[in-house]
Amino acid sequence: TSLFFGLGSFQAKFAVLFPTLSVAGTEYIARIGFGDTTTSADNTDGVYFEYDRATSGNVWRLKTASAGTRTATASAIAIVANTWYKLQIDVNAAGTSVAYTVDGTSAGTITTNIPTTTSARSGLTLQILRSSGGGTLNVDYATYNYTLTSARY
């Protein structure tokens, strides 16, 4: 299913675990949320969490992307191997703010580059992108709820 934001409130929840973290020699990037690509390229449109040790260390990055322009913010919440994390993404009804939560704690909010046009369609994203070596993402659940408050088209 593809969707775009701004027609109502949106909430997504995920439970994820990395058995091992990315290290030099076995680098990987993980993206969890909603995006529009399944390749190694970053999303053109989406709202998602990202783990990219080479860029931000072992912390959650919060990302939005609209028409190829991205906003990325490193959170202060560390990622530890073999630990389950409950991730939550909340997009307000107008599509002007995205709040990110990790284990019930606010990781931050982004108010720029949120995909809200009909051509900016995204789908569920649970990715591991490996440049070398391995990387595993365990997912216990992924759910979302979109409460429409405006006509779809």
Side-chain angles (χ1 to χ4, degrees):
T1 300
S2 64
L3 53 92
F4 58 95
F5 305 102
L7 299 178
S9 61
F10 173 86
Q11 182 178 77
K13 296 181 180 183
F14 309 89
V16 299
L17 173 146
F18 299 100
T20 58
L21 297 182
S22 181
V23 295
T26 58
E27 296 287 354
Y28 66 86
I29 298 170
R31 295 189 181 114
I32 303 151
F34 283 80
D36 64 351
T37 186
T38 57
T39 68
S40 61
D42 204 344
N43 292 296
T44 300
D45 297 296
V47 296
Y48 49 101
F49 285 91
E50 182 176 77
Y51 168 48
D52 182 354
R53 185 202 68 83
T55 301
S56 298
N58 290 327
V59 298
W60 292 106
R61 287 181 73 187
L62 321 173
K63 290 187 86 174
T64 58
S66 181
T69 302
R70 293 171 200 84
T71 299
T73 302
S75 77
I77 300 174
I79 301 171
V80 178
N82 280 318
T83 301
W84 283 101
Y85 292 97
K86 293 179 183 175
L87 307 178
Q88 183 171 316
I89 299 171
D90 290 288
V91 182
N92 70 352
T96 58
S97 178
V98 182
Y100 298 82
T101 306
V102 178
D103 293 334
T105 299
S106 174
T109 301
I110 295 178
T111 59
T112 56
N113 299 313
I114 302 165
T116 57
T117 65
T118 56
S119 62
R121 296 184 182 269
S122 301
L124 181 66
T125 297
L126 298 163
Q127 291 180 315
I128 287 281
L129 305 166
R130 298 180 291 196
S131 60
S132 62
T136 302
L137 171 65
N138 294 343
V139 179
D140 184 41
Y141 62 81
T143 67
Y144 74 91
N145 182 46
Y146 202 176
T147 304
L148 297 174
T149 55
S150 301
R152 291 187 206 176
Y153 300 99

